[in-house]
Amino acid sequence: MDWTFHKKEHTETQDPAVEVNGHTSSYPGVLADGETATLSADPSWLINGTNRVNVSVASPAAGPTGQVVLDYHHRATDQQTTEYASEKWTERYNISHTYVSARSDLDIEIPFQSNVVRIRDVEVRRNGSTWSQPEWHFHDGSLHVNPDDVAAQTTIDLRVNGSKVAVENGAIEVLKPTAPGDALDSKIKITEHDSGFAINVGGTADGKRLHYLTNESWQGAAPYTEHLASGEQWIYTPNAGDGSTARVKTLPLRVEPTGDVQIEVADPETPAFHVRSGDTPNEDVTFRWLDATTGEDYVLYSTSDDVVRDDQIASDGPVALIDDDGEETLKIMQDTSGGSGSVSGGSTGAGGGGVIASSSSSLLNSVPVIMGAGALLIGGAALLLARRFKKQIYVLGGTAAIALVVIVLAGESFSPGVILEPIATNVGKVMPVVLLIVTGTGAYWFYTKYIRGYTTIVQLPGGKQLK
């Protein structure tokens, strides 16, 4: 009879160990069959990304290598939430970070996503306490915040406001921001205005476009921009003060001086802008119109001297029109005359020759045409009212009302906003006065018609009447 025996040799598990990213935790001795052991590890062994875990047991003197079953798990050592908001002129972070273990020499880095040129606010608090100013520094587009050492289970809240504009000799607050991707139309408040106040917008997404202000709460000298060859663009507000407000907008126009030049936007619709030299006069300036239509002829027209300074036909991109920085008012317009649009004399300076610009709207916008049309309208209205009403008060009142409408329309055609914008801005201030005038006028009319003008007639014998 033949017998077959099967033998399976087992080796005890001795000195099992677990290695996490080069750090080891082990169990000294032998683990019997079915026995378990718990090994501890330090949370600091974990790293961002991939974590490497190795399991080992001691090699026996003879026989097979011992085996062990490993149940391994870990969780994130810290908990963090981040809120991010980006606008045309600002970039904001709100960060909450809970540290499981104690930390020292903390360096919290916030890499901004856009061209932030200045940090406005950095505030930190611990476990919901009051906000305070930590130590921080800004380098190569990243903010480094260095709060004091933290104990285990400490929550650090951090809020940061990064500015894409730089303000000199003052401070601003953005009351109504513009979202990225939208045309710039932000309302700002000047919270502090000292001598030499200026805003550098060159580092923003629209920094290359010509900026201008509208709806200013102050009067007097108009705001203007200064453009430098380095690409910086500064907004100056000579007559503003603490608490002044305005809206900031842009034109699709890049101003590229070889030195420096100052620009004051006279009419953003035309567009018309006044040019004057900066610290270095008699230098060329390139005006690059970004909204050019391919195949159309564009001219740089001087309304001061009634000549074209330069012209160019658009070819799949912006047109570049060149003039010097001599003081004058310029317009960029399409040449619809059908001519060549060339500039005689070859000079682009203020003293150079040129051809008169031709525009399809120039006749309708001329002063004589508008004044003549207004006079005809007022005269015709007066004749119609005289035929319709016999009382002179109705004729004069109606004519005056029509004349007022004509004056407003004429003024708005020459300079949009010159009449209606101040009214809209100050309507709240003058409304009480208007109400008083209307009330007084109504009371006077009621008195003259129904009290002072009321007549009683008494009929006497013989047909006589007594008033």
Side-chain angles (χ1 to χ4, degrees), residues 88-91 115-120 162-168 172-174 184 188 198-205 207 211 233-235 248:
K88 281 285 186 178
W89 280 15
T90 57
E91 191 170 330
N115 187 20
V116 170
V117 296
R118 180 170 296 184
I119 301 300
R120 289 187 190 173
S163 175
K164 303 173 190 178
V165 298
V167 181
E168 295 291 339
I172 65 170
E173 178 185 354
V174 180
L184 180 63
I188 64 170
I199 307 171
N200 184 3
V201 297
T204 66
H211 286 60
Q233 180 180 178
W234 293 84
I235 300 176
V248 187

Side-chain angles (χ1 to χ4, degrees), residues 31 91 142 145-146 150 164 181 279 293 328 342 354 453 455 462 467:
L31 277 179
E91 191 170 330
S142 293
V145 182
N146 308 113
V150 298
K164 303 173 190 178
D279 295 332
T293 302
E328 61 181 335
S342 61
T455 302
K467 293 184 181 181

